[in-house]
Structures are given as structure tokens and as C-alpha cells.
Amino acid sequence: MVLVLALGDLHIPHRAPDLPAKFKSMLVPGKIQHIISPGNLCIKEVHDYLKSLCPDLHVTRGEYDEDLRYPESEQLKIGEFKLGICHGHQVIPWGDLDSLAMLQRQLDVDILITGHTHQFKAYKHEGGVIINPGSATGAYSSISYDINPSFVLMDIDGLRVVVYVYELIDGEVKVDKIDFKKPQTAA
Amino acid sequence: MLSELRTSKLSPQKYYELYMRTFDELRKLEIFFKDETKRGRTNADLYELVQHAGNILPRLYLLCTVASVYIKSKEAPAKDILKDLVEMSRGVQHPVRGLFLRSYLSQISRDKLPDIGSEYEGEGGTVMDAVEFVLQNFTEMNKLWVRMQHQGPAREKERREKERRELRDLVGKNLHVLSQLEGVDLDMYKDVVLPRVLEQVVNCKDEIAQYYLMDCIIQVFPDDYHLQTLETLLGACPQLQPTVDVKTVMSQLMERLSNYAASSSEVLPDLLHVEAFAKLSSAVVKVIEAQPDMPLVGAVSLHVALLTFTLRVHVDRLDYVDQVLGACVKKLEGKGKVKDSKATKQIVALLSAPLEKYNDVVTVLRLTNYSKVMEHLDYETNKVMAVVIIQSIMKNNTSISSSEKVDALFELLKELIKDSEGAPSMDEIDEDDFMEEQNLVARLVHMLVNKDHEEMFKILTTARKHFGQGGPKRLKFTLPPLIFAALKLVRCLQGHDAGDEALVSPKKIFQFLHQTVEALSTVPAPELALRLYLQCAEAASDCSLEPVAYEFFTQAFLLYEEEIADSRAQVTAMQLIIGTLQRTYVFGVENRDTLTHKATGYSAKLLKKPDQCRAVYACSHLFWLEEDGGTQDGERVLLCLKRALRIANAAQQMSSVTRGSSGPLTLFVEILNKYLYYFEKGIPQVTSNLIQGLLELIGTELQSENTAQDRAVDAFFASTRRYIQFQKQKGDDLAERYSSIQVVSPP
């Protein structure tokens, strides 16, 4: 059982002062094995905070990120799953699932974590799963209206991943879960 | 044994040990005396007899011991005997010996005072006599105690003072006794006890005695007595020696009174009735005036103590709190920035107390003197205080909901927001610290909110005005959050047509936005400005304001042309421009054409061929807008894709020439995927033939000897082919169209 936290588009401090208090109290160091962020943190303080929750932190570059050294995309393997990360402003049209599927084929990954639209999405298609954890702070986006803060926690166990999505709706944290199974690769 | 007590050689500690032993022995003697009286000797006789003792000190000890039995027997009035004793004790003028003797007197007389309700009342005297006795003993003891200070050479002063401190409780005990007397009610205390005690305290002019005794009075007598005699008690304070730590004395008193007020709700009206606050604050002023040499830290600490009292007892009286701050301001007048670190610490304490008490910066903003006190902090401390204020707002989620409050708040935070005269130059400031501070100010912007749209706009313009004075280094931190707040406001107003006369409308906000983003581009922060122009453009498009949106796009393009030279930055900038343009529906044909033409033109001119290729095929989406009313021009889409293909070819050839092998075919696979995308949308110009052709081209190239092996491309191509197979098998309309496409598996 490997816990992977996926959260992005915090846009601190331009669009939000901080993570919602209810989220902060849930995110405790030592419980999570990996953190993946598609980007737009945007400042070093946020990076350091995430690093304090878990030293294995992977961040890709969002267009407002202060640190220019984050990569445009990244691939990593966790358990049986190949994961890919990319912020998504590079994929036009923004938020278009078919175009994101193309990126997924290109990166050759089972799960693609992406952002930019600030809208939570978990989309299963022929090539795998696309997950957008939304904006962890509910930051303003020109693309989406009325955004609730959200983030995703993935529990990877063998060929199965359970995706828990946490959303802050009217001051309460609501959790939903989605199951994905990776087909056994033919020999 | 008693003669041993005559020694001068013992230190007070040692003398005390000797005294205790003697005391025990004297108790036995007392019992003996009692037995003697039973055997026929009268107390008067004994009393007479012991006076024949050779030396005065033993004589007096014996006398006191006999007196104890005498008083108990009631053969003579208690008051007479006590008076006699207290007078005769004057015979011992040596400080240590005298103090212990009188202490003995006090100890044995304790239970024999003619207090109200005691068995010795009436014949034996009244409580007045008891009070008189104790007061006299006290006065004499204090005199002896003070005299110790001046005995002996100057170089031993420290040792003497230490010894005095060891003996102080002997003197203080008398006050205890007074407080225990039943008959000492408020009136007696007010009219007799307190004035006499204070008289002795002030007149003895001794620093150690004054400090100890003031403290003793405050601790020993009940709080409601203090409340009723506040003026008298406080009146003594300015008369004390300048070296006495009067602020601690007064703080003790104020603390006691605040605890008293907290203990029960009925007390508060008393406090108000007695005008405790007024008396205390004028006492503070008087003390400070009486001691012109008092160091600044002392004066400020007094105000801190008074403020603590006020916040505890009169927490809702902001006017009182403001008054205390005002008094401190007066004291600080003319002193400029305070340099003494201890005084600075006290000023910080003064400023932090209301923050912590109210947990609401908005309340603190109503204290008109607050900012004036802050002025006196040196630059660094002022900034620290400003940070504390912001942190308080963030922690308590305080909203700053009007432009006036913003003005007041930013006045307090001015050292963070702009460069003042006394500030060090930019070179001296630590870069990281500066960034942290400014990011904190940025976060603060999100707390400036009001649901009323007009007020919200006022807040934004006020904040903008302040930030505008912050100099170029600050703008890139402080302006973006304002811009996003403004964009949020635009969204609230969207759809409501308030008309041109309204104080706030999307148009007005876009004007504000335009000026604000413009300020950023001159910082210079062109990349940030470009992003923000695009945000504004999209927002304007959502509001159906075509000219405004066009203007924003123009500014973005201008920045691209003139300010963004770095090739990586250009790639991202193009992605953002194309991405935004693809989502805007507001433009008419002409405007749209101009903008898309520019976009495709710049895309083709990016430095690296792969970047060019990708940007150009991204542009294809500009000609196929999904939503109703959007352009759908299949010809132009295909043109873009073909152009991208040509660029990919050129890239391949370049790579082949320079590196001896054709470059990665990934671009071809990407373009293939784009073909599939449009094929599925049903664009007639993207035919299955075209796709077939590209499939075969890629397949051939991959197998060619010139091509370097690239796992990534292989995998990409494989997954693309898998995708096509999948679509073919779905059995729907799409599958129909896919049927003519053959997927060739590699050998």
C-alpha cells in the first residue's frame, strides 16, 4: 500500500493566501510516500512545506511557478504503475481530454497527473487514466468558474489504484473514491 | 542565654537562630512564671522583679515574657501593659537587636490585642489601642531597619543591604497583624492605618524599605480596601525615592485589581464608580513627572502595566485603551526612533497587548494612537511589528472590509509597503527576507474583501494607490494578487448590466486592470505582465467586451515582440497566447483573423524547429472552436497541420545533416495524433488517406537504417496504433470511418 498525494494549482500568494485550514490539518508528515504536483505552487515556501510532508516530491513547471528549474514533464514508476506529470498549459486546447490522452500516449504512462484547469477530473480512456486533482486552494481560474478546493490521494496496491478525491464544499470536506485496475500486461 | 542576645558579632541569619532557641527557652520560662503566680506571686510583682536584670536587653525580654502572663491574667488592662512595653523597648537602639526584640514583642502580643470580639476588649482597651500599639511598634521597627543602611563603612554597603533584606519580614509582620485585626474595617484603614503607614514609608526616604513596604501593603490588605483608598495609595507613589522600582509596585497593584475585577462581575461597577482607571492613569503621569530622570524603559513599562490593567478590566472601553496609548505617545514625543533596545521591547509589548487581547486587527485599527506609537520603533523592529500584525490577520481570518480600514492598516504597515526615509538602501536588505515579507503582504491582499461591489472596488483602488508607492521591486509581489481580486470582482458583476453611470462596472475594472498590468510591464516584469494581460483578455471576452479583449491581446503581443527574448520563455508565452486565443469567442472575423495570423506567424518563427512544429500544430486549434458560434474552418486546420509536417521534415533533414542520423520521429507521431483528433471530429479535409500516408511514412522511417533507436518514439507510435485498433473495434460510427485505415504492425 503506497500513498501518493497529488495536488496542484495552489497559486500562493497570487490567488490564495494559503491551503484551507481543514486540508492543512489533514496533511500530516510521515503518512505519505510520494507527493506529485503538476505545478503552480508558486513560491518556495509552498515547495518547502510540501517537502516537509514528504521528502519524495515531484513538481512540474506551471506557468506561474517562481522556480524555473522544474521540468516540463516527468515520468516515474510507483509499484506496478507508470505515472506521468505535466502541468497542462502546454496542451492545447486546455483541458481537452483527447489532447491530454495524446500526451499520455507520448509519455507512455498508465496514469497522467495534470492540472491548469483547476477542475477535478478522473478520466479513464483506452490508454489509461487522466487525473486532474483540481486546485488545492480553490484559486481563481479563467477556465473554470465556482471552484471548490480539492486534492487527490492515490492508494497504489499492486495492479489496483484507489483514487480518493477530497473536496471542500461549503466548509466541509467531502471524500469520494474511484477504483482503477490496470490490466495485466500480456507477456 | 539572654545575655548572648546582646552580641553584635552575629549576622542576622545567625542571630535569628540564636533568637529561635531563646524563644523556645522563654516559652518554658513563661510557663514557670505562670506557675509562680499560682504560688502566690502577683504578676505585678514579677513585672517589678524582672526589671532588676542587669542589662537592658535581657531585662526587656524578661519583661515581655512576664507581660504575656500578666495580660492573660487580666490583672491589669492590656493596653497599659502594651504601651509600657512598646515605649520601654526604645531603650534598645541597636538595629538588629532592636528588631528582634520588637519582633518578640509582636509575637507574644499577637493573641492578646484588645481587638473587637477579643476577651481583652473593654477593660483592656479598644481596637484603637491595639492599632496604636502595632503602629508604634511598626514605626520604631522601620526606623531601626532603615538605620542599618547607614551603619558601617561604605564599602560594605552591599553586604548590609543583603542583611537588611533578610530581616525585612520582621518589619512587614506588623502590617500582617494589622490586617488580621477584626476591628480594622475600611474606615479605620482609611482614616488611621493607611495614612500613618504611608507617612512612615514616605518619610523614611529609604529605597529598600519603601519598595518592600509598598509591596507589603498591597499584598496584605484586601483589594476592596485598595479600591476605596486608591487615591491615597497612589498619591504616595510620586513621593517615593527615585530609585524605587515604582513601576513594579504599581503593576502589582494593577494586577491585583484586575484579578479582583475578574473574580466577580459585581466588582466592575465598583471600579467604575471609584474611577479606578482615571486615578491610575493620572498616577502614572504624576510618577513620571516626579521623576524626570526615569529612563524611557521605566516610563513605557508603566504604560504597559496600565494597558494590561485596562485590557483586563475595561476590555470594551477602546477609548481608555486609546488614552493609555496617547499618554505614551506624549511621553515619546520628540524622541524620534527609539534606540534603546529595552525601551523598544516595552513599546513592542505595548503594541502587542491589544493585538493579542482582541485578536482582531480591525478593532486595533480604531485606536487612533496606535500608529503614532509605532512610529517610534526603529526600522527593523517596526517591520517585525508589521509582520506580527499581518500574521494576526491571517491567523484570525480577519477581513478588512472598507477602504478606510485599508488606509489605516497600510499606514501601520508602511515600512513594508514603501521605502521610507530612514530605511536602509536596497543593497543592504537581505533578498530572501525581502521576498518573504512581500509574499506575506501579497497574502494579505486576499483578506481585503467586501461583498458589496462598490466598496470592494474602492478597496482595490485604495490598495493600488498604496502599492504604487512601493517602488519597482515590490510591484511584482503586490500587484498580481490585486489583479486577481479584481478579476474575481469582474466575475461577480458579469451579466448584471449596471449601466455607464454605475460606480463600478466590468468596464471600469478593466480600466483599472489595464493600468495595473501596465505598471508591471515597466518594472520590468514582461513575462508576468503577458500572463496577466491574457487573463484579462479572457475575462473581457467572457464579458463580451470585444474592444477591451482585443486591446489586452494587443498588449500581450507587444510584450512578446519587444520584451521576451529568451527562447524558452517564448515557447511558453506562445503556448499561453494560443491557449487563450483558442478559448475566446468574442472576436468578429476581422479581429480574429489579425490575432490568429500573428499567432501562427510567431509560432513559425520560434527558434528551435521542434518548438516551431509544436506551436504551429497547436495553432490548428484556433480554426476549430468547439462551442456554438465558433469558427470551424477545416481548410485552415489542414494548412496548419501540413505546415507543421513540413517543419518536422525540415527538422529531420537538419538533424540528418548535422548529426548523421535523422532526428527523433516523435514530431511525426504527434502530428499523426493530431490528424486522428480532427479525423474524429469529422473534418472533411482530414481524410483517411492522409492518415494512412502518415502512418506508413512513420513506419518506414522507423525501420530505416538512418534512424537512431528511440524507445520513447517506438512506445508512442505503438500506443497510437493501439489506439487506432481500439477505435476500429468499438463498433460505432467512428469505427466505421476508421475501417479504411490499416494499421501496420512492425515486424
Side-chain angles (χ1 to χ4, degrees), chain A residues 13-17 45 61 63-64 66 68 90 92-94 96 102 105-106 126 141-142 144-145, chain B residues 436 439 443 446 481 484 491 494 531 535 538 542 568 572 582 621 666 670 673 677 716 719 723 726:
Chain A
H14 289 173
R15 305 190 204 182
E45 281 166 25
R61 193 176 71 88
E63 78 274 33
Y64 284 90
E66 179 183 82
L68 298 174
Q90 304 93 332
I92 291 158
W94 290 335
D96 180 67
M102 165 181 145
R105 289 193 283 273
Q106 185 167 13
E126 169 273 337
S141 160
S142 57
S144 320
Y145 283 51
Chain B
E436 230 183 279
N439 278 324
R443 289 185 212 224
H446 300 286
F484 284 106
R491 250 195 208 161
Q494 235 169 288
R531 283 152 176 69
Q535 292 279 347
E538 202 172 337
D542 287 347
R568 237 189 108 191
T572 310
Q582 196 269 338
H621 291 279
T666 183
E670 287 174 40
N673 274 273
Y677 177 92
F716 190 13
S719 57
Y723 173 71
F726 182 79

Side-chain angles (χ1 to χ4, degrees), chain B residues 432-445:
Chain B
D432 285 336
D433 286 345
F434 181 73
M435 273 174 54
E436 230 183 279
E437 268 169 35
Q438 294 306 313
N439 278 324
L440 191 57
V441 175
R443 289 185 212 224
L444 176 63
V445 172

Side-chain angles (χ1 to χ4, degrees), chain B residues 475-513:
Chain B
L475 290 179
K476 70 174 195 277
F477 296 98
T478 53
L479 294 187
L482 267 190
I483 288 168
F484 284 106
L487 285 171
K488 274 201 208 152
L489 186 58
V490 168
R491 250 195 208 161
C492 293
L493 292 169
Q494 235 169 288
H496 306 179
D497 187 15
D500 283 327
E501 295 310 313
L503 282 164
V504 60
S505 65
K507 274 217 194 107
K508 291 216 167 75
I509 304 179
F510 281 121
Q511 281 166 4
F512 168 81
L513 281 167

Side-chain angles (χ1 to χ4, degrees), chain B residues 390 393-394 409-410 413 440-448:
Chain B
I390 299 183
I393 296 176
M394 306 306 304
L409 177 62
F410 281 17
L413 303 176
L440 191 57
V441 175
R443 289 185 212 224
L444 176 63
V445 172
H446 300 286
M447 299 285 124
L448 314 176

Side-chain angles (χ1 to χ4, degrees), chain B residues 207-436:
Chain B
E207 178 199 334
I208 295 180
Q210 285 182 339
Y211 180 74
Y212 172 69
L213 289 172
M214 285 300 286
D215 192 50
C216 218
I217 295 172
I218 293 171
Q219 303 295 345
V220 149
F221 291 102
D223 295 319
D224 55 322
Y225 282 17
H226 293 315
L227 212 51
Q228 301 300 331
T229 56
L230 205 50
E231 237 170 321
T232 321
L233 192 56
L234 290 173
C237 290
Q239 299 174 47
L240 300 176
Q241 298 299 103
T243 42
V244 172
D245 183 11
V246 69
K247 71 173 186 302
T248 310
V249 170
M250 289 177 74
S251 317
Q252 293 271 41
L253 178 60
M254 290 193 253
E255 170 133 6
R256 276 196 77 103
L257 290 176
S258 11
N259 285 338
Y260 183 48
S263 65
S264 100
S265 55
E266 286 143 21
V267 169
L268 191 54
D270 285 337
L271 273 159
L272 287 170
H273 179 68
V274 136
E275 291 178 11
F277 175 74
K279 291 190 182 140
L280 286 168
S281 48
S282 68
V284 167
V285 171
K286 286 211 191 89
V287 166
I288 294 178
E289 274 173 19
Q291 299 185 8
D293 294 329
M294 186 195 281
L296 193 56
V297 59
V300 184
S301 321
L302 266 172
H303 285 106
V304 173
L306 182 56
L307 185 64
T308 316
F309 171 80
T310 317
L311 284 172
R312 283 186 75 178
V313 176
H314 298 292
V315 66
D316 43 345
R317 294 294 301 259
L318 275 181
D319 56 332
Y320 280 175
V321 177
D322 210 14
Q323 212 181 314
V324 177
L325 291 176
C328 200
V329 169
K330 264 191 107 183
K331 178 68 192 163
L332 290 169
E333 222 166 85
K335 295 219 178 0
K337 305 269 181 210
V338 168
K339 294 200 178 62
D340 172 35
S341 64
K342 288 205 195 114
T344 304
K345 259 207 190 139
Q346 288 298 322
I347 298 179
V348 170
L350 194 68
L351 292 169
S352 309
L355 266 184
E356 281 155 20
K357 183 72 186 179
Y358 295 118
N359 266 333
D360 180 7
V361 172
V362 174
T363 312
V364 172
L365 286 177
R366 288 161 58 189
L367 299 166
T368 58
N369 288 309
Y370 196 86
S371 59
K372 294 186 197 148
V373 176
M374 240 179 116
E375 294 255 336
H376 291 281
L377 288 173
D378 63 88
Y379 177 73
E380 279 304 323
T381 320
N382 196 314
K383 278 211 295 185
V384 169
M385 197 65 222
V387 168
V388 168
I389 291 174
I390 299 183
Q391 284 169 341
S392 167
I393 296 176
M394 306 306 304
K395 190 172 69 130
N396 295 304
N397 229 343
T398 319
S399 318
I400 312 291
S401 55
S402 81
S403 58
E404 288 88 22
K405 289 186 191 136
V406 172
D407 269 328
L409 177 62
F410 281 17
E411 173 66 26
L412 293 181
L413 303 176
K414 62 184 181 210
E415 297 290 357
L416 287 181
I417 294 180
K418 51 182 169 235
D419 294 322
S420 63
E421 286 153 20
S425 73
M426 275 293 158
D427 313 322
E428 293 165 22
I429 298 181
D430 176 61
E431 185 89 36
D432 285 336
D433 286 345
F434 181 73
M435 273 174 54
E436 230 183 279

